Amino acid sequence: MPTVSVGRDRLFEALGRTYTQEEFEELCFKFGIELDDVTTEKAIIRKEKHLGEEEGLEDEEVIYKIEVPANRYDLLCLEGLAQALRIFNGLDPIPTYKVAGINKESFLEMHVKSETSRIRPYVVCAVLRDVTFDEARYNSFIDLQDRLHQNICRRRTLVAIGTHDLDTIEGPFTYEALPPSEINFVPLKQTRKFAANELMEFYQSDQKLKKFLHIIEGSPVFPVIYDQNRTVLSLPPIINGAHSAITLKTKNVFIECTATDLTKANIVLNTMVTMFSVYCKEKFQVEPVKVIYPDGKLYSCPDLSVYHMDVPLSYITRIVGVSLPEKEVASLLYRMQLEAKLSISGDETVNFTVSVPPTRSDILHPCDVAEDVAIAYGYNEVPKTKPSSLKPCSLNQLSDLIRMEIAMVGFTEVLTWILCSYKENFTMLNRKDDKATAVINGNPRSADFEVVRTSLMPGILKTAAHNKDHPKPIKIFEVGDVVLLDESKDVGATNRRHFAALYCGANSGFELIHGLVDRIMEVTGTPFVSPGDDVGYYIKSADEPEFLPGRQASIIYKGKQIGTFGIVHPEVLQNFDIPDPCSFVELNMEIFL
Amino acid sequence: MAEEAVLRYLEKNEEISDSGKFAEDRGLSHDDILNIIKSLNGFRLVDAQDIKKERWVLTDEGKKYAEAGSPEVQLFLAIPAEGIAREDLQKKLESSIFKIGSQQAIKNKWIEMGKSQVSRKVQQVEDKIKILLLQIQNGEAVSSEDIDALKRRKLITQQIWKGYSVRKGPKYAPKRKKAATDLTRENIQRGDWKELEFKEYNFSAKGQPLEGGHLHPLLKVRRQVQMIFLQMGFEEMPTNNFVESSFWNFDALFQPQQHPARDSHDTFFLKEPSTTKILPEDYVERVKEVHENGGYGSRGYGYEWKREEANKNLLRTHTTAVSSRMLYLLAQKPFAPKKYYSIDRVFRNEAVDRTHLAEFHQIEGVMCDRGLALSDLIGVLHEFFSRLGMSKLRFKPAYNPYTEPSMEIFSYHEGFKKWVEVGNSGMFRPEMLQPMGLPEDVQVIAWGLSLERPTMILYGIDNIRDLFGHKVDLGLIKRNPVCRLGLQYMDSA
């Protein structure tokens, strides 16, 4: 996206009011441009020279660097930006650009010689009469050429612009292509004559110009524009002649654009003349030039005609997704510099005839018109249509993520029963039933199904016991629900998602289970903190009956106990008939939600 | 032995005031005593307090002299009563002994050293240096002037001596039980676990790190984004084709051939294979026509479209190249609505820096149906981005050659307290869709973003090379938490 630097105060003056930076950013955002940077001339220079910031910047002119869309050539200068924003803000009417009506005799002519087809076949021209420049306008005029050269002109390969003080030259002009050695002139910023081939050599060391030499280098003929006295206007796309250079005092400007792409040449010429005709005595009026090709074809340029595009209202509302009355659509389009005339056809369909001004070469199709309606309406005012979609259960999603992580550190997943015997849930774990925890089955068909588990421990211990012959160590885990009595629920009980893991081997693996707790905390992004700190987790020793005293701990997460781990008490191991030492961890996973 | 000595002593005595002296009195090594005290202190059987003493010890040179005598005395004794030729004396002694010895002996006025002859000036000398060195070695007191003199000659050096004073600790017992560090299979088999006393466990340190594998953070995020698309009913496009023609990458998207993105500054063009050989010719004709002269209600770009440009091969600059192929295929059949997504590698000829890489992952969503509007695009973007954790969105008009309207997507970042650009979106232009053969009333809405950017914001990474590529820190991959989009996106950065 091209960036345009403009003086903030000049811009605000042109916009007829001042803005806070925030307000201006808001305006830019709505219109589809962006305030990229706020700086000053001196700051830019300091930056280039890698100097530090200095004090006392208040008196420096503030520069706004504004990013504009790459297809809006009319926004590449302050004049165009200000005009577009003023119309957008409803301050100005859309300007009508006119080609001055002049009689046949006073038409300036540009004769194209056939050799130009070998190197750069097209030229378009125009004249700005009675222009008033001041320093700022003059700089803007030069900058716009630079920006056009950089952007649409593709670094002068497609189009090159030459601007001249018309009062120093005399038409008719000729556009020729000659062997380099035959072209002799004093180029801009130089004081002596150069032959064109010599000049190419000379500019090898010119940082700015050497980038363009390749466009014509090696060609047997170079393009060149002469006036009727054989004064060289320019050697496109490299350099203009010094003779016709424009100055602050220039009143009449002759603009020529030579090109390999005629469409773009016209866009460039139109951009130049529409933007700066605002400073002509006859505002928005441009004087035409006749371009005559060797085959006798004759063109009058610039072509400032308005392009008419028929756009049905229904198309616009269909694209935007908002039904809008035709009057509103027309006024929205007006703010985007598009005049829309209403026409209702026989079958009552509402159509607009949209007038696309010569400044809006970006409008190619009715979809571009529809976009402008949407922009003026406000993208952020368009109501959203909710698409159909599904949302996964976040608890299950979390469970799956944790399960993957635990398997990846070498634990094997087991899936055990929710139901177990009363003994397994309590006495075999050295636990006492406080009668306020477990859901009890009323009609179990077997003792294995008496209780709904309140912990994953019995299932996991039974799995370990059943796998006595499995090579040690055994590392297993389970993520699953336990059920707890809960007065606050309609049915008096609630599920809770637990995580549990067991290590069983020649020794207890207590430190490894401790490490597993750390890993769960790491993958849930929980920091390890000192005891008492509520932002992360810490471990403190515990005293639970199912674990060996001195080798067990509580896991404290954000100040709350969420689980325990420890060496399984040898009595518990014996109860489950496990001959090897085990360590076990169990925690409430729902707290990570 | 040493442990027993310490514990037994404390049984009857209040304190061991100096571990060094304690060791010496009992003929034990002080180092052993120190280790025992440290261990007993760790188990709180005793309470040990540091004591520090400064003392002088002999340097290597000092030790040599303590044994063989000072250089000056060695030199003196080498001179016979009748004197000796200087050369002969030099031969009799080590050069360093000769050098230092003669200096000191002259200074002490013991000898006379002529140009060729050396003779004694006194008959008897006392080796005071040796005596002092031996005194220091034995820990005897030496006057401070003598210490200074020896220090100057670098014969002695100061050493900090460390020891303990020891009293009974809270868990004192005359004999300690061997503290267990773990419960073993043998403990259970023997049943002696009941007698075990465990060494105190340090819960303020972390547990044992686990061995295991880890997945890459970026691909963890990719998985979650895929899940979002699947939940929204999008099907995945096949994107396993990095080499693409300019035609599918640009021309089919109504991107003019002079567009800056088609410069070699931005795109990797290929030397081998340099061109695409097969394109659907009738479609190519329609694309050429719409670029040059428009059609389907468009003015076109009005330039001469070149087939050679379209044939140029490149590494795809966006996955929209795949979308254009998919939409073209879709247009070859009777129309049916589709929702497509892809997340895969794209390539840009860019200088690598903190925020740019020459390759990255593009996330793309495409919806194709009759009568889709901007309001549908805005709706689907809200749905998609809110699942990424970005529910506060706003849209800025933008320019993109193949979409109209085009919108840049901004999301409010609670951490940065500002709006940040998070993606691009739009409705594909009729000049792109209709040459493919899609019906006129079919609209395609699409959006794209990089996978890296939200991932970097999610994990607070500010250099893209820390995340993706060979300069990644494996530790970061290992420490990386699970990816839970939508929950922590905004507040973790």
Side-chain angles (χ1 to χ4, degrees), chain A residues 154-155 263 319 363-365 368 371 379-380 386 390 408 506 508 511 514 518-519 523 551 580 592, chain B residues 182 185 199 201 207-208 213 263 296 299 302 373-375 383 387 395 404 406 429 478 482 484:
Chain A
R154 307 301 303 131
R155 289 180 292 281
T263 310
I319 293 290
I363 304 280
L364 301 176
H365 185 277
D368 297 293
E371 181 188 65
Y379 275 3
N380 299 298
K386 202 170 158 51
L390 312 161
M408 281 196 296
S508 76
E511 290 173 42
H514 183 185
D518 293 331
R519 179 64 186 159
V523 300
R551 277 298 178 274
D580 299 300
F592 295 122
Chain B
D182 200 359
R185 184 180 285 151
K199 185 180 176 184
Y201 192 85
Q208 186 181 335
D263 273 6
Y296 318 100
R299 299 157 81 176
L374 197 60
S375 50
E383 184 67 29
R387 286 163 183 251
F395 306 100
E404 191 81 9
S406 312
R429 295 187 69 100
K478 291 183 179 175
V482 293
R484 299 168 69 198

Side-chain angles (χ1 to χ4, degrees), chain A residues 92-113:
Chain A
D92 278 350
I94 302 170
T96 309
Y97 298 103
K98 282 198 306 277
V99 175
I102 49 173
N103 55 36
K104 273 184 186 167
E105 294 76 51
S106 37
F107 247 110
L108 274 171
E109 286 175 4
M110 172 69 82
H111 295 271
V112 182
K113 296 283 167 75

Side-chain angles (χ1 to χ4, degrees), chain A residues 558, chain B residues 389 413-416 457-458 460 486-493:
Chain A
K558 296 189 176 168
Chain B
H413 193 290
E414 298 291 350
F416 302 161
I457 298 175
L458 177 61
L487 283 174
Q488 59 197 123
Y489 181 82
M490 278 305 167
D491 39 74
S492 70

